[in-house]
Amino acid sequence: MDRAASLQDGSVADFWSPPAPAARPHHLGHRERLRERAAAGGTAALPDYEVLELLLFRAIPRGDVKPLAKQLLTRFGSLAGVLGASLEELKTVKGVGAAVALDLKLVHEVGLRAAREAVVRRPVISSWSALRAYVKTALAHEAREQFRVLFLDKKNQLIADEVLGRGTVDHAPVYPREVVRRALELSASAIILVHNHPSGDPTPSSADVDMTRQVVEAARALRIAVHDHLVVGRHGVASLKALGLM
């Protein structure tokens, strides 16, 4: 067969044809589309995994982050759980480096400070819903038990919120004398006790009730009021006062 015949039947031409273009990855353009949807309809309309994707775009400039967003939600149970996780916990998830973990913790800190402002600017006992929102943001997803005290002035405005005890998954040491001593140092007229249950269930234990009574007795001698003891869990916030336990 001569060269002309070969060219006519297309065999040589087919041999030298450029390769077909590779299939375009499905995620290309996804970031722009997601940003456009968020801008047009507002972030409130987005599911949690897409909100998390938008956050991950900052630290991961290229690639598909949807699988990572869904993996984080599965690992920590919710968007609040992701943001409330510690830096060390976040970095145990494959694909989460120091930059991603820090970005997520910054978002949590912004939310915590915004919630604190709602408490600081008015008497705490007259803004109980804001107080509950604040302590839940601060403690609901802590992996270890914390004992905190909110110190209030004569107008029941917040002077300080301090961690006075850190412990294990089910216990934090509490010393009533230390609570009262710190209240005197801050010239506090009243306090609110707060601690978390990492199990997620905010139901007060008998130990919680006993400890509360000890603090109340120690504070009463120095005319410091104990307004309440709040127990925080992922499933809610329990008030010992509302439950008739103090």
Side-chain angles (χ1 to χ4, degrees):
M1 181 180 295
D2 61 19
R3 186 170 184 272
S6 175
L7 289 175
Q8 285 178 355
D9 67 17
S11 59
V12 175
D14 290 343
F15 180 79
W16 291 105
S17 296
R24 191 168 185 262
H26 70 89
H27 63 270
L28 290 182
H30 172 66
R31 292 182 179 226
E32 290 72 21
R33 291 192 297 271
L34 182 53
R35 290 189 179 106
E36 289 170 1
R37 284 174 50 217
T43 53
L46 300 178
D48 286 354
Y49 77 88
E50 290 188 334
V51 171
L52 194 50
E53 280 188 80
L54 287 169
L55 292 175
L56 293 172
F57 289 168
R58 290 171 41 83
I60 305 176
R62 287 178 294 277
D64 186 6
V65 298
K66 183 187 294 185
L68 179 57
K70 291 187 174 182
Q71 186 180 356
L72 283 164
L73 290 170
T74 299
R75 168 70 172 78
F76 296 107
S78 66
L79 185 57
V82 174
L83 300 179
S86 69
L87 287 169
E88 292 72 23
E89 290 171 328
L90 288 168
K91 287 187 286 187
T92 63
V93 177
K94 185 177 180 180
V96 176
V100 171
L102 182 57
D103 266 11
L104 294 173
K105 290 310 300 176
L106 284 173
V107 174
H108 182 257
E109 183 63 24
V110 168
L112 181 58
R113 294 189 185 200
R116 185 186 294 128
E117 284 184 9
V119 174
V120 170
R121 293 179 177 178
R122 65 189 73 176
V124 168
I125 60 174
S126 67
S127 54
W128 210 246
S129 61
L131 174 62
R132 291 169 71 95
Y134 168 57
V135 297
K136 190 171 183 181
T137 300
L139 287 172
H141 295 278
E142 281 289 328
R144 303 289 177 181
E145 192 166 304
Q146 281 188 19
F147 178 75
R148 302 169 78 129
V149 181
L150 308 183
F151 298 95
L152 312 177
D153 63 15
K154 292 181 180 179
K155 296 181 180 180
N156 286 314
Q157 293 183 328
L158 186 66
I159 299 173
D161 167 15
E162 296 186 356
V163 178
L164 295 190
R166 297 181 188 272
T168 63
V169 294
D170 60 1
H171 175 71
V174 180
Y175 304 102
R177 290 181 181 178
E178 289 300 307
V179 174
V180 174
R181 180 188 63 78
R182 186 59 179 149
L184 291 173
E185 289 177 349
L186 294 170
S187 299
S189 297
I191 58 176
I192 297 174
L193 311 177
V194 185
H195 84 281
N196 64 305
H197 282 177
S199 67
D201 181 3
T203 303
S205 66
S206 58
D208 295 337
V209 176
D210 290 342
M211 179 270 291
T212 303
R213 289 172 178 165
Q214 292 175 32
V215 175
V216 169
E217 288 299 320
R220 181 183 292 125
L222 297 169
R223 297 184 180 180
I224 297 170
V226 181
H227 286 324
D228 207 341
H229 184 172
L230 302 178
V231 184
V232 183
R234 291 187 302 277
H235 307 311
V237 179
S239 160
L240 268 72
K241 186 174 184 179
L243 292 170
L245 298 175
M246 62 176 293

